[in-house]
Amino acid sequence: LPGAPSFLPSFLLVTVGLRLVGVHILRPKAQTTEETSAPCCGQADTTAPRQLEFPYYSLRDGFISTLLLVSASPKPLDFVLAVHSRSGQTVLAPAMTIQPQEKLPVNLAELLTSLSADVTGDFSEGSVSVYFNGPAMPLAGQLTMTNPLKGLSLESEMVDNSPGLGLLPPVLNA
């Protein structure tokens, strides 16, 4: 163009190029079948190994400890209980199954006695772990310690310690 500044052709070329790129960037991308078949909101199959911790139970001084497990699963759920003594010994209960929406009480003294654990010695107090495979939180629970002679009722808080969640503090305050 006669009389036009020398930078004008370059300016026009860059402007047209940016507009073409902008149209390409802003155009809606067609979804592939992989993208449309994926579950909503980044949720993949969440079935994974899970671990619930109940940091303290006591069978000392007349206490009765009962673990109440509650299923929120739509199908039966298999699990294993591990009872840990204060000295670090562990006994595993045989695999159990909880039905959908079931509330399953487990008397720890009876369970430990059936497993030949010393309920008046090393296993008179400790902690309980529940292991299962499933989605997040299909199983919840509460550990209640009662002493009828003293009129006491205490609860041990459940902690979801599933691998990768990192919700359990390195030192328990129990």
Side-chain angles (χ1 to χ4, degrees):
L1 295 166
S6 60
F7 69 86
L8 187 58
S10 299
F11 175 77
L12 288 174
L13 182 60
V14 169
T15 304
V16 169
L18 285 175
R19 286 184 184 226
L20 288 174
V21 169
V23 166
H24 177 71
I25 290 173
L26 296 177
R27 182 179 302 148
K29 183 176 120 181
Q31 290 185 331
T32 64
T33 54
E34 237 177 66
E35 292 171 333
T36 56
S37 64
C40 168
C41 313
Q43 296 174 354
D45 180 14
T46 56
T47 299
R50 305 286 180 191
Q51 178 179 346
L52 301 178
E53 295 286 339
F54 297 88
Y56 184 72
Y57 76 88
S58 179
L59 303 175
R60 296 177 59 150
D61 303 322
F63 275 95
I64 300 166
S65 290
T66 303
L67 175 63
L68 179 65
L69 295 173
V70 180
S71 172
S73 176
K75 57 186 176 181
L77 184 67
D78 297 327
F79 65 92
V80 173
L81 288 178
V83 183
H84 314 285
S85 72
R86 283 189 60 201
S87 70
Q89 291 185 3
T90 299
V91 292
L92 292 175
M96 299 179 193
T97 301
I98 188 168
Q99 297 302 316
Q101 311 305 311
E102 182 181 6
K103 295 178 183 176
L104 179 66
V106 178
N107 180 306
L108 291 183
E110 291 174 6
L111 175 69
L112 287 168
T113 300
S114 74
L115 298 171
S116 300
D118 184 7
V119 295
T120 59
D122 202 27
F123 281 92
S124 64
E125 57 186 349
S127 64
V128 179
S129 299
V130 181
Y131 301 99
F132 60 94
N133 284 315
M137 300 304 285
L139 190 60
Q142 177 177 315
L143 196 146
T144 304
M145 296 167 281
T146 57
N147 188 323
L149 297 176
K150 295 182 180 181
L152 290 173
S153 180
L154 308 167
E155 295 174 0
S156 183
E157 187 173 320
M158 177 189 83
V159 179
D160 184 352
N161 189 31
S162 295
L165 289 180
L167 299 176
L168 189 63
V171 176
L172 292 179
N173 205 8

